[in-house]
């Protein structure tokens, strides 16, 4: 039985011990959250959604970009659970709780982005009660969030329970954790991610989305972005706390996985763009035109970034700590660019010749909401990793082994 | 003996379009279809624009937009977009019409297989029994999924709180709140009264460019017009089954491109 009083005292001490920089970062994040919250209230209740950059011609903007990015990250983070429990890689164990937290908080961010985008958030909050159209993919994807969140919370429960029992839980708990880890990844990829690709792929009006490749593409990009975020967070946390969370070999292994998923994504990207430009369909050519002219910077960051990160990670010499940090950062930026292109460029080509030059630029309140949501999940992550009992890090484990 | 030219023709054109058109024309129609036919001139080029453009025509379009606004209280139901590239860096919606451009009205096509109805998560967009695509504003969550799904860009989102003076409101049309999507309703508050009223745009158009009616009625004007074989529909290749038909004036040389080829004969495996 967990002693809540003891856990609370421990959390309080842990927060007090955290140091000045930590508290300053928390304060900055709180300011960002307040800014975002104020902007959200302004958009939703005072001025209206008209102060965002979206228009009738580009109905989906930066919120949906954030939404698809964070949904992807949530699924990729489940891969660590699979590594520990499915493939028995015990060296991943120090990352267990952190990865679940990243996954859960990413999903929270995704849902918040979605709720910021809709015109009627209160009505949308009652979605399960009002959902009734079985032909809409949005019904299925919205229903999956509750299931996925429940799966990750159960995973979190068992991870904490096992940690509190000294890293070795009872046979039943270990079995449950294993079932949940494998289930969560399968659920993430098959039930959450591929349908999110289908959500866009079903729209025959938009040439860029209407490709059967999109569900598969969403799965690989999700895995790549999830691993990149985990690598990034692990290295940054290790640097700040001066404590090795996982060994260099484990990080190198994760780098290899990232390279593989990046390779698959690039392979699909290459043929998608090739077919688009080669087949010469007017819609495809228009998309290709916008990708290579107005949005060339995003396109270059996306393709060259992914390719560069993959090249760095392919070689063993690249999979050192600095190399991994650079590659994971590049990957995150490249995937963000890819998501921007996917959402925005798809809506830029006019559906009728001569409609004019359609454009989309996010406005300040919109960016504030995005910053607020990202700050909120960063804040929660920083606090929760302090408050919740974390697994022993690689360094602590090694020191204990040497002492014994 | 293999007839190579016929086979090539079949491969290029294919019997599918022809079958599809047959289905569209003679398929079972158990419910009422409403059709607007717009008389547009696709042969208008920038060269002969100036001669053909008359102040009367311009004012009629502006009049058309104004009536859309007053009848439905908020929002313009149609996009008026030029067929030539305006190059103005902005869309031509809601802006003052220009004489050097040629405009074509586009609005909700009330498709038989409407993509917006398919994707709406709450069922707020629905196809009514008389064929009109309607929106239940009380169910709409404002996700705008229908807007990205619509191939005709016919839907509008209420970005701001509608501020319409009481005297300008139409008591027959409900006010739409902020944060919901709306579009053309074929003026159901007029056309469903059973008193033979037509839509406001048809009534208002001084050029008589629009016609609205019931295809089930063989004596109606739309039934007569549809026999002309000069009609075409926007983005027919998407197979949405739209119910807005455009009629061309100088059709003979123009419509050759749209006219379906007869099904090829004497080819094995083809019916």
């Amino acid at each position: 039985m967990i002693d809540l009083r003891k856990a609370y005292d421990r959390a309080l001490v842990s927060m007090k011990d955290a140091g000045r920089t930590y508290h300053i970062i928390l304060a900055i994040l709180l300011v960002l959250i307040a800014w975002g919250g104020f902007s959200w209230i302004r958009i939703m209740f005072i001025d209206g959604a008209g102060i965002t950059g979206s228009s009738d011609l580009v109905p989906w903007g930066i919120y949906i970009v954030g939404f698809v990015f964070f949904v992807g990250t949530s699924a990729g983070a489940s891969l660590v659970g699979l590594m520990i429990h499915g493939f028995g890689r015990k060296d991943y164990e120090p990352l267990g709780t952190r990865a679940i937290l990243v996954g859960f908080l990413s999903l929270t961010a995704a849902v918040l982005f979605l709720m910021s985008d809709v015109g009627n958030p209160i009505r949308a909050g009652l979605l399960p009660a009002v959902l009734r159209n079985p032909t809409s993919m949005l019904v299925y994807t919205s229903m999956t969030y509750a299931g996925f969140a429940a799966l990750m919370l159960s995973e979190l429960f068992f991870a904490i329970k096992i940690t509190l029992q000294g890293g070795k839980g009872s046979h039943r708990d270990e079995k449950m954790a294993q079932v949940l880890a494998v289930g969560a990844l399968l659920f993430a990829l098959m039930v959450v991610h591929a349908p999110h690709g289908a959500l866009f792929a079903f729209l025959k009006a938009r040439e860029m989305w209407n490709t059967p490749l999109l569900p598969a593409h969403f799965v690989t990009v999700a895995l790549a972005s999830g691993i990149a975020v985990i690598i990034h967070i692990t290295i940054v946390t290790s640097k700040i706390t001066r404590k090795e969370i996982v060994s260099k070999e484990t990080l190198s292994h994760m780098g290899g996985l990232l390279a593989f998923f990046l390779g698959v994504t690039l392979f699909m990207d290459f043929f998608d763009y090739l077919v688009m430009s080669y087949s010469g369909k007017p819609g495809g050519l228009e998309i290709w035109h916008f990708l290579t002219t107005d949005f060339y910077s995003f396109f270059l960051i996306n393709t060259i970034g992914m390719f560069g990160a993959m090249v760095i990670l392919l070689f063993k010499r690249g999979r050192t700590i600095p190399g991994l940090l650079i590659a994971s950062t590049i990957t995150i930026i490249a995937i963000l660019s890819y998501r921007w292109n996917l959402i925005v460029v798809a809506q830029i080509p006019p559906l009728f010749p001569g409609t004019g030059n359609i454009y989309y630029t996010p406005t300040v309140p919109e960016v504030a909401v995005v910053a607020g949501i990202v700050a909120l999940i960063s804040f929660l992550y920083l606090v929760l990793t302090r408050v919740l009992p974390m697994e022993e890090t690689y360094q602590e484990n090694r020191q204990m082994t040497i002492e014994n | 003996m293999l007839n190579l030219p016929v086979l090539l023709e079949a491969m290029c054109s294919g019997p599918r379009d022809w079958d599809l058109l047959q289905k569209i024309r003679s398929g079972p129609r158990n419910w009422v279809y409403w059709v607007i036919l717009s008389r547009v001139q696709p042969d208008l080029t920038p060269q002969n624009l100036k001669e053909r453009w008359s102040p009367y025509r311009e004012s009629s379009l502006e009049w058309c937009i104004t009536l859309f606004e007053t009848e439905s209280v908020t929002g313009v139901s149609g996009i008026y977009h030029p067929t030539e590239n305006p190059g103005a860096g902005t869309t031509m919606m809601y802006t003052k019409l220009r004489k050097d451009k040629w405009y074509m009205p586009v609005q909700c096509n009330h498709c038989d297989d409407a993509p917006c109805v398919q994707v709406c998560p709450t069922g707020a967009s629905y196809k009514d029994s008389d064929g009109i695509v309607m929106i239940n504003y009380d169910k709409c969550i404002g996700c705008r999924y229908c807007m990205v799904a619509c191939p005709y860009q016919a839907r509008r989102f209420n970005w701001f709180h509608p501020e319409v003076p009481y005297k300008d409101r139409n008591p027959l049309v409900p006010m739409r709140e902020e944060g919901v999507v709306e579009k053309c309703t074929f003026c159901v508050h007029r056309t469903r009264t059973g008193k033979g009223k037509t839509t406001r745009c048809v009534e208002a158009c001084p050029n008589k460019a629009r016609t609205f009616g019931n295809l089930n009625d063989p004596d109606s004007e739309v039934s007569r017009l549809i026999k002309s074989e000069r009609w075409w529909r926007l983005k027919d290749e998407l197979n949405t089954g739209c119910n807005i038909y455009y009629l061309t004036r100088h059709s003979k040389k123009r419509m050759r491109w749209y006219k379906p080829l007869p099904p090829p004969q004497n080819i094995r495996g083809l019916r």
Side-chain angles (χ1 to χ4, degrees):
Chain A
M1 184 69 195
I2 303 166
D3 188 350
L4 281 178
R5 179 87 205 168
K6 215 167 116 186
Y8 176 73
D9 290 343
R10 191 184 149 278
L12 215 61
V13 171
S14 172
M15 286 295 283
K16 274 183 185 165
D17 290 350
R20 207 166 148 207
T21 324
Y22 177 82
H23 288 116
I24 290 171
I25 292 173
L26 286 192
I28 295 170
L29 289 176
L30 275 177
V31 171
L32 282 176
I33 293 168
W35 187 39
F38 172 71
S39 299
W40 189 81
I41 290 168
R42 230 186 108 194
I43 292 170
M44 285 295 169
F45 303 110
I46 302 170
D47 290 333
I51 58 169
T52 62
S54 300
S55 60
D56 286 336
L57 295 173
V58 186
W60 282 353
I62 197 167
Y63 294 148
I64 301 294
V65 175
F67 163 70
V68 285
F69 177 78
F70 279 104
V71 160
T73 319
S74 73
S78 315
L79 194 71
V80 173
L82 184 80
M83 280 290 148
I84 301 168
H85 299 290
F87 295 130
R89 296 270 313 207
K90 294 292 167 196
D91 53 332
Y92 272 86
E93 255 174 13
L95 281 177
T97 312
R98 283 171 203 277
I100 298 167
L101 276 179
V102 169
F104 181 72
L105 291 174
S106 298
L107 190 69
T108 312
V111 173
L112 284 176
F113 274 121
L114 206 56
M115 293 303 257
S116 309
D117 185 66
V118 298
N120 258 307
I122 297 166
R123 210 177 280 167
L126 304 170
L127 261 184
V130 289
L131 290 178
R132 53 172 62 204
N133 186 7
T135 58
S136 172
M137 209 60 209
L138 198 59
V139 171
Y140 301 107
T141 52
S142 336
M143 282 197 291
T144 55
Y145 303 139
F148 194 31
L151 264 175
M152 280 193 289
L153 284 180
S154 337
E155 261 193 283
L156 189 67
F157 173 76
F158 282 103
I160 291 173
K161 200 175 172 190
I162 292 170
T163 312
L164 286 177
Q165 286 165 356
K168 186 77 192 140
S170 64
H171 178 70
R172 194 169 144 270
D173 288 351
E174 295 275 351
K175 197 75 196 163
M176 274 305 287
Q178 192 176 354
V179 169
L180 283 171
V182 178
L185 186 81
L186 288 178
F187 191 87
L189 298 188
M190 300 302 150
V191 186
V192 182
H193 261 284
H196 270 96
L199 188 111
F200 293 97
F202 282 170
L203 303 180
K204 58 185 168 189
R206 312 279 169 172
E207 189 67 35
M208 193 168 175
W209 293 338
N210 191 13
T211 156
L213 209 58
L214 210 59
H217 199 282
F218 259 60
V219 169
T220 55
V221 177
L223 289 168
S225 65
I227 298 176
V229 168
I230 298 268
I231 292 176
H232 189 84
I233 287 178
T234 310
I235 295 175
V236 171
T237 317
S238 304
K239 290 258 182 219
I240 291 171
T241 56
R242 296 202 182 85
K243 218 190 266 180
E244 265 187 88
I245 295 178
V246 286
S247 66
K248 281 176 188 158
E249 289 74 37
T250 314
L251 277 172
S252 169
H253 184 252
M254 285 169 84
L257 278 177
L258 178 55
F260 171 73
F261 290 123
L262 282 177
V264 177
T265 309
L266 276 171
F267 171 78
M268 284 202 261
D269 264 348
F270 176 74
F271 279 101
D272 203 11
Y273 290 136
L274 185 71
V275 170
M276 190 189 280
S277 52
Y278 184 90
S279 56
K281 273 164 78 182
L285 284 185
E286 248 172 337
I287 296 280
W288 183 245
H289 166 76
F290 281 109
L291 281 176
T292 47
T293 54
D294 292 8
F295 293 84
Y296 76 95
S297 49
F298 288 102
F299 183 65
L300 286 182
I301 292 170
N302 168 21
T303 46
I304 296 177
M306 277 198 191
F307 189 73
M310 192 187 72
V311 169
I312 292 173
L313 294 172
L314 272 183
F315 300 100
K316 190 136 196 182
R317 283 175 67 186
R319 293 203 294 270
T320 54
I321 300 291
L324 280 163
L325 185 62
I326 293 168
S328 62
T329 314
I330 294 174
T331 308
I332 292 169
I333 295 169
I335 289 175
L336 271 173
S337 306
Y338 165 72
R339 296 303 198 190
W340 170 272
N341 270 350
L342 180 79
I343 301 299
V344 176
V345 178
Q347 299 171 76
I348 293 294
L351 293 182
F352 298 104
T355 305
N357 302 333
I358 300 171
Y359 64 94
Y360 167 74
T361 321
T363 54
V364 175
E366 214 175 352
V367 174
V369 173
V370 173
I373 291 172
V374 175
L376 179 69
I377 60 159
S378 312
F379 180 86
L380 286 175
Y381 178 80
L382 286 178
V383 172
L384 286 174
T385 44
R386 276 263 154 203
V387 169
L388 292 176
M390 291 286 128
E391 288 93 346
E392 272 177 1
T393 59
Y394 168 72
Q395 203 168 338
E396 287 164 351
N397 200 0
R398 200 175 50 179
Q399 275 169 2
M400 272 175 64
T401 320
I402 292 166
E403 280 165 19
N404 288 339
Chain B
M1 184 78 184
L2 188 68
N3 190 339
L4 199 60
V6 174
L7 181 68
L8 277 176
E9 195 180 86
M11 282 164 73
C12 295
S13 62
R16 293 185 305 272
D17 294 347
W18 194 83
D19 285 346
L20 190 67
L21 285 172
Q22 285 298 311
K23 213 169 101 187
I24 289 165
R25 301 272 186 86
S26 60
R29 292 183 186 282
N30 301 322
W31 55 87
V32 183
Y33 270 74
W34 306 91
V35 179
I36 286 185
L37 286 156
S38 291
R39 295 187 178 114
V40 294
Q41 298 111 15
D43 59 334
L44 211 60
T45 56
Q47 284 75 36
N48 61 12
L49 252 170
K50 275 181 187 161
E51 298 93 72
R52 293 218 184 178
W53 191 276
S54 68
Y56 179 65
R57 197 175 294 273
E58 183 193 19
S59 62
S60 75
L61 271 165
E62 279 186 351
W63 177 230
C64 201
I65 289 178
T66 317
L67 275 165
F68 263 133
E69 279 176 338
T70 51
E71 187 65 21
S72 331
V73 183
T74 51
V76 182
S77 304
I79 308 172
Y80 288 82
H81 66 84
T83 51
E84 303 300 326
N85 182 18
T90 175
T91 60
M92 296 300 286
M93 295 156 66
Y94 309 100
T95 55
K96 189 159 170 56
L97 299 170
R98 286 168 55 178
K99 279 191 180 178
D100 56 338
K101 302 295 172 203
W102 183 76
Y103 296 86
M104 175 181 146
V106 178
Q107 67 186 74
C108 173
N109 279 259
H110 297 273
C111 315
D112 293 341
D113 196 5
C116 53
V117 174
Q118 259 181 0
V119 302
C120 177
T122 58
S125 291
Y126 61 100
K127 184 94 178 154
D128 236 335
S129 54
D130 56 1
I132 298 178
V133 174
M134 293 290 289
I135 301 174
N136 184 340
Y137 306 115
D138 293 334
K139 275 190 196 167
C140 179
I141 57 168
C143 62
R144 308 197 279 285
Y145 196 18
C146 54
M147 290 175 75
V148 286
C150 177
Y152 308 102
Q153 272 173 346
R155 291 182 161 238
R156 300 281 166 272
F157 185 70
N158 279 318
W159 297 98
F160 294 106
H161 183 70
E163 286 171 1
V164 184
Y166 191 75
K167 64 177 174 56
D168 293 344
R169 294 184 190 181
N170 185 342
L172 298 172
V173 181
M175 282 292 288
R176 276 81 71 197
E177 58 185 288
E178 179 193 335
V180 298
V181 177
E182 62 176 70
K183 64 171 191 69
C184 152
T185 60
F186 268 171
C187 286
V188 284
H189 57 285
R190 303 165 62 90
T191 50
R192 276 187 188 164
T193 52
K195 292 175 187 166
K197 272 192 175 179
T198 183
T199 62
R200 192 77 172 112
C201 52
V202 173
E203 215 172 65
C205 183
N207 279 358
K208 300 284 172 223
R210 292 161 177 260
T211 310
F212 176 78
N214 183 354
L215 266 189
N216 280 348
D217 179 5
D219 301 329
S220 65
E221 195 187 352
V222 288
S223 298
R224 185 180 60 77
L225 286 168
I226 208 160
K227 285 178 192 148
S228 70
E229 299 205 353
R230 287 192 282 127
W231 55 263
W232 53 279
R233 304 192 291 186
L234 271 177
K235 304 199 178 190
D236 224 357
E237 71 278 7
L238 293 180
N239 205 13
T240 50
C242 28
N243 284 308
I244 305 263
Y245 295 76
Y246 292 88
L247 205 68
T248 47
R249 185 186 280 169
H250 305 286
S251 62
K252 283 193 177 159
K253 57 182 178 188
R254 195 71 195 176
M255 288 309 288
R256 207 172 290 152
W257 296 99
Y258 297 100
K259 204 169 181 181
L261 291 164
Q265 302 291 320
N266 308 327
I267 295 183
R268 274 172 68 90
L270 281 180
R271 269 185 289 167

